[in-house]
Amino acid sequence: LSSPSAWPLAAKLALAMLVTALAPMLVTGLYNLNGALGALQDTQLRKTELMAHNTAGRVGQLLSSSAHLARGLGGDAELARWLSAPNEDGLEVLQQRLAALSKANPDIHFVMVMDGMGGVRVSTDRDLLGRNFAFREYFKEASAGRPYTTGIVVGAAAGAAGVFFAEPVRDAAGNV
């Protein structure tokens, strides 16, 4: 068996026919397998790109709506009046308004309003009241009269990843 020259002619012909028949099938199978793997990779790549595009669109909508909310609060004349002369009666009304806004949008962790010194005067998270965030970049920008949006950060107060939107509060005349 170790010497093919000693094999009978019928065994040699059978082996030759078997190799002749199987070789093209093997080559065709490998070709089809590579094509199928390539098609699967292309399909997965298209699916991932589509998912990334859709997710980016949803994140964009979320950021845009949150920025509009912050801009709306920044232009609230009643809030500006209260900040210029804070009182306990107005505080509870503002707390309720902010709580209603926060409950209406489940993507909002909390809303806080700071005075000119960076102290939290009104917040949907009562633990934040009285804390000072004057050292934060978003406060510095808003107190300079510019809106500011952070990147995705883990907030010290919420302890969760999120984006901070800061808007300067302006009175009816447009003053910060």
Side-chain angles (χ1 to χ4, degrees):
L1 289 176
S2 63
S3 173
S5 59
W7 295 357
L9 184 60
K12 291 177 187 176
L13 285 174
L15 184 62
M17 288 184 356
L18 183 65
V19 169
T20 305
L22 289 179
M25 284 188 233
L26 181 63
V27 170
T28 303
L30 289 174
Y31 177 78
N32 287 340
L33 177 64
N34 287 335
L37 289 175
L40 180 62
Q41 288 173 341
D42 289 345
T43 301
Q44 288 296 328
L45 179 61
R46 279 193 301 275
K47 178 182 174 187
T48 303
E49 287 173 345
L50 183 61
M51 216 164 43
H53 179 71
N54 289 338
T55 301
R58 289 184 186 123
V59 169
Q61 286 175 328
L62 173 65
L63 293 176
S64 177
S65 68
S66 297
H68 287 301
L69 173 64
R71 200 169 302 122
L73 286 172
D76 187 337
E78 187 177 327
L79 181 59
R81 265 193 307 279
W82 184 84
L83 281 172
S84 66
N87 60 53
E88 289 301 314
D89 296 336
L91 175 64
E92 192 56 38
V93 172
L94 288 174
Q95 287 285 149
Q96 290 172 358
R97 284 178 59 197
L98 292 181
L101 282 173
S102 183
K103 285 179 185 172
N105 187 342
D107 296 316
I108 296 175
H109 288 290
F110 60 86
V111 178
M112 65 182 174
V113 177
M114 294 180 266
D115 60 18
M117 303 303 290
V120 177
R121 300 302 306 256
V122 183
S123 177
T124 55
D125 183 350
R126 302 248 181 201
D127 293 338
L128 295 176
L129 293 174
R131 289 182 63 181
N132 191 295
F133 293 97
F135 60 94
R136 298 282 188 192
E137 187 68 23
Y138 53 82
F139 172 78
K140 292 175 184 176
E141 290 294 317
S143 63
R146 294 182 295 268
Y148 186 78
T149 303
T150 68
I152 297 176
V153 296
V154 175
V163 176
F164 287 86
F165 297 89
E167 283 286 331
V169 176
R170 300 183 187 279
D171 61 15
N175 301 319
V176 177

